[in-house]
Amino acid sequence: MGFQALRGTTDLFADEVERWAAVEQTVRRVARLYGYQELRTPIMEDAALFLRSIGETTDIVQKEMFRFQDRGGHEIVLRPEGTAAVVRAYLEGHLHKTQGFAKLLYLGPMFRAERPQAGRFRQFHQYGVEAIGSSSPWVDVEVIALCLDMLRACGVKSCSLWISSMGSRDDQQRSAQALRERLAPQKATLCKECQTRFDKNVFRVLDCNNPQCHTLAWETTAGQEARGHFASPFLLTQDSQARFDEVRQGLRSLGIAFDDTQVFARGLDYYTHTVFEVRALGLVGKGAVAAGGRYDHLVEELGGPAVGAVGFAAGIERVLMAAGPHVSAAASTRRGLYLAIATPVLLQEGFRLLQQLRERGVSAVMDYDGRSLKAQLREADKQRCRVVAILGEAELKAQAMTLKDLEQGSQETVPLDTFVEAVAQRMESACR
Ligand code: ATP
Ligand code: MG
């Protein structure tokens, strides 16, 4: 019996890697357009970082973290999300002093011990941005616009933006109090977990997976019959309402369509004011491909200044699912040169040419095992090479090589002494 990859983890082979690389490149390019700079943080972090930021009563912390003790007995976590780590790095790297307002991009694996299914993995990958150090609603607008731009550039054609406001911390305290009062008479009918949540973080009842808790919380919220038409459980002051209006106004001014009719709470504790989700057709659950929001207290809670911040994260696996097979045209095009050797005695001469091609920036491969010419040509096609060149005694004698373009089906003869240059030029113009 051989070994298998762990449940909820996957290997990516060549074609898949091409699609992933296309997403990564696209994301980096679009981030640059908006002035975001990449930050890479470690995959492991101190467990306390996530307990403090995401919140002790959240599903992530209670059930989904890969947590272990290192040899020194320290509690370590494989990061379940990016935001807390980015804020930690922002503070540890003194960006609050040197930059103040920092616009950061990250990409990489995240880990959650969830039940694996289509679009839900234990090691999954996110790209995301965090704009740290401003409370301007325009930054919310920019982050949302950037999120949609990246998805579009990655080939996600049909997706919808949902936005909502969870209000300020003060609003949330008042709202929690009100929700608790309304839920109190039915507290005994809530699931065991929600009874704990009732005291510790009553908003978690709103997104409990148990339908009874969920319905109860939302119905009690507005006291109306039909689901979907409830007033928000988040009681916003005029200021918070005005702030939300500014964000919506900003989005409208950019021609960005959104749906604000559905109130929702994001599953992490640190969110305030704007929260948003982008949903795409054909994905798991409600189809979330990216999600984010504002978090105005996290920087301070992690030991920094009282500055606002906003960000989002997108799941790369889900982006690729939503984009379908067309995300990268590059994956299917022929590339590089295959140097076929007519007789094994020419291997040394062939290898010399191969290295010269590589030095000149041409991707080049050859066979080292003395296979027949026919087998080599088959291999060139299988590896999806663009050009085949044959090196044999006849070519050496004539001091000329034949280049076959497998994409165009054309053929030309070039002098051996200018072979490398001729191939390089052909490849350059083919890539343009
Ligand atoms: P969901 O509702 O699907 O569980 P979430 O609210 O837990 O998502 P976030 O923590 O907001 O997700 O992460 C942002 C994005 O990361 C999601 O929209 C999704 O694309 C992706 N994501 C989250 N968890 C997973 C997972 N286990 N496998 C694959 N992608 C994931
Ligand atoms: Mg989740």
Side-chain angles (χ1 to χ4, degrees), residues 124-156:
F124 61 102
H125 300 75
Q126 288 184 335
Y127 65 77
V129 306
E130 310 295 349
I132 307 172
S134 169
S135 297
S136 164
W138 282 104
V139 186
D140 305 37
V141 174
E142 180 182 271
V143 163
I144 293 173
L146 172 55
C147 178
L148 294 172
D149 259 3
M150 282 182 173
L151 289 171
R152 208 173 302 126
C154 287
V156 178

Side-chain angles (χ1 to χ4, degrees), residues 33-77:
L33 295 179
Y34 283 76
Y36 283 72
Q37 288 183 318
E38 188 169 345
L39 167 70
R40 300 186 190 190
T41 67
I43 282 164
M44 297 187 289
E45 294 276 356
D46 189 332
L49 173 66
F50 296 106
L51 301 189
R52 185 157 335 149
S53 56
I54 299 175
E56 307 246 6
T57 56
T58 57
D59 277 359
I60 292 186
V61 166
Q62 292 209 325
K63 307 178 200 160
E64 299 176 358
M65 289 204 306
F66 281 100
R67 194 171 166 172
F68 59 95
Q69 284 193 347
D70 71 6
R71 284 157 197 263
H74 300 109
E75 285 285 319
I76 309 284
V77 161

Side-chain angles (χ1 to χ4, degrees), residues 112 114 119-121 124 126 266 288-291 313-315 318:
R112 294 185 198 173
E114 302 198 69
R120 195 175 291 289
F121 306 93
F124 61 102
Q126 288 184 335
R266 300 275 312 123
V289 60
R318 295 203 197 161

Side-chain angles (χ1 to χ4, degrees), residues 113 241 261 266:
Q241 193 63 51
T261 59
R266 300 275 312 123

Side-chain angles (χ1 to χ4, degrees), residues 8 60 64 80-81 106 110-127 265-268 270-271 276-278 283-292 312-319:
I60 292 186
E64 299 176 358
E81 59 114 41
Y106 63 87
M110 305 292 163
F111 304 85
R112 294 185 198 173
E114 302 198 69
R115 197 170 64 77
Q117 51 185 292
R120 195 175 291 289
F121 306 93
R122 290 187 169 170
Q123 175 175 334
F124 61 102
H125 300 75
Q126 288 184 335
Y127 65 77
R266 300 275 312 123
L268 314 180
Y270 49 64
Y271 285 115
F276 66 97
E277 272 185 17
V278 183
L283 296 182
V284 281
K286 55 189 179 206
V289 60
F312 79 82
I316 297 182
E317 287 84 358
R318 295 203 197 161
V319 168

